[in-house]
């Protein structure tokens, strides 16, 4: 197992729709384990495969950051099947350093996907878990949290990020 490099804003893989995973092979198993280690080392509570340069529909989430194995979620080909309500809270992203903004997300979601054993999983989540699942599913659809902001805010932040990329800051 090893820690992978986290891809930062400006890399086109982050705005590309990731590919569906058709075979649960050793490669996917290892990728998931490496993503977990990378997420814990960051530290972060969620990670999507495009953030480690793999355009695949795979996400890892753990609100406990490795403290409680019951909180660990590894989902292959996750899909948001149901959403309810609205909640506004501050969000950040390991691929968009030093930017934290309030983002509106559904307060309750139902997400379906497949685990590493190939079994179908249905997760009903609310609050922070619902938020993280939405954030990570957005990633595999090529969407970043800053894309959820108003166009004025988004433009200002993208300008700032572009400058940081040019300066080699991120
Ligand atoms: Zn993110």
């Amino acid at each position: 197992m090893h820690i992978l490099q986290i891809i930062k804003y400006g890399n086109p893989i982050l705005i590309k729709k990731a590919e569906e995973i058709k075979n649960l092979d050793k490669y996917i198993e290892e990728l998931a384990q490496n993503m977990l280690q990378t997420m814990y080392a960051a530290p972060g509570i969620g990670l999507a495969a495009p953030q480690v340069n793999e355009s695949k529909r795979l996400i890892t989430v753990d609100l406990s950051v490795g403290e409680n194995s019951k909180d660990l979620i590894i989902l292959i080909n996750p899909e948001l099947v149901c959403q309810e309500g609205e909640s506004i809270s501050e969000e950040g992203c390991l691929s968009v350093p030093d930017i934290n903004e309030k983002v509106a997300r559904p307060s309750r979601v139902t997400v379906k996907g497949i685990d590493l054993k190939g079994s179908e999983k249905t997760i009903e989540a609310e609050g922070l878990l619902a938020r993280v699942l939405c954030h990570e599913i957005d990633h595999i659809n090529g969407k970043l949290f800053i894309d959820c902001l108003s166009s004025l805010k988004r433009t200002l932040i993208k300008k700032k990020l572009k400058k940081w990329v040019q300066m080699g800051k991120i």
Side-chain angles (χ1 to χ4, degrees):
M1 277 191 281
H2 44 261
I3 293 167
L4 306 167
Q5 194 196 343
I6 294 178
I7 298 300
K8 300 284 164 50
Y9 179 86
N11 187 311
I13 199 162
L14 292 175
I15 51 168
K16 194 180 153 197
K17 194 169 188 243
E19 281 163 29
E20 199 184 322
I21 295 172
K22 296 202 169 100
N23 295 311
L24 289 183
D25 52 16
K26 188 113 190 82
Y27 187 82
I28 296 299
E29 163 93 21
E30 273 174 24
L31 174 61
Q33 296 304 335
N34 288 337
M35 279 172 62
L36 272 187
Q37 295 310 309
T38 307
M39 179 174 82
Y40 293 150
I45 52 176
L47 196 66
Q51 292 182 277
V52 292
N53 212 19
E54 292 278 356
S55 193
K56 294 189 165 42
R57 303 183 80 78
L58 168 62
I59 64 167
T60 57
V61 173
D62 185 351
L63 295 191
S64 79
V65 202
E67 290 296 311
N68 189 346
S69 59
K70 277 187 193 155
D71 284 356
L72 173 60
I73 296 168
I74 296 174
L75 267 192
I76 292 154
N77 303 331
E79 265 181 83
L80 190 62
V81 290
C82 195
Q83 58 182 73
E84 262 178 40
E86 190 188 74
S87 144
I88 296 170
S89 191
E90 203 158 88
E91 228 171 271
C93 177
L94 295 173
S95 296
V96 190
D98 298 323
I99 304 281
N100 291 284
E101 289 292 335
K102 286 201 165 106
V103 180
R105 296 282 189 190
S107 46
R108 282 178 301 279
V109 297
T110 305
V111 171
K112 276 190 182 171
I114 297 164
D115 69 10
L116 282 177
K117 292 188 186 107
S119 312
E120 244 188 58
K121 289 274 160 201
T122 301
I123 298 169
E124 283 178 20
E126 54 180 30
L128 182 59
L129 184 56
R131 174 171 298 277
V132 180
L133 286 167
C134 289
H135 180 117
E136 304 312 330
I137 291 171
D138 272 357
H139 267 304
I140 59 171
N141 289 322
K143 194 174 165 190
L144 296 171
F145 82 102
I146 49 173
D147 294 318
C148 303
L149 305 173
S150 70
S151 70
L152 177 66
K153 224 172 206 175
R154 196 169 59 231
T155 307
L156 285 172
I157 287 171
K158 285 193 172 174
K159 228 181 235 174
K160 198 197 271 185
L161 285 165
K162 203 176 161 192
K163 210 168 156 191
W164 286 353
V165 170
Q166 282 166 350
M167 287 161 69
K169 207 178 148 200
I170 57 171

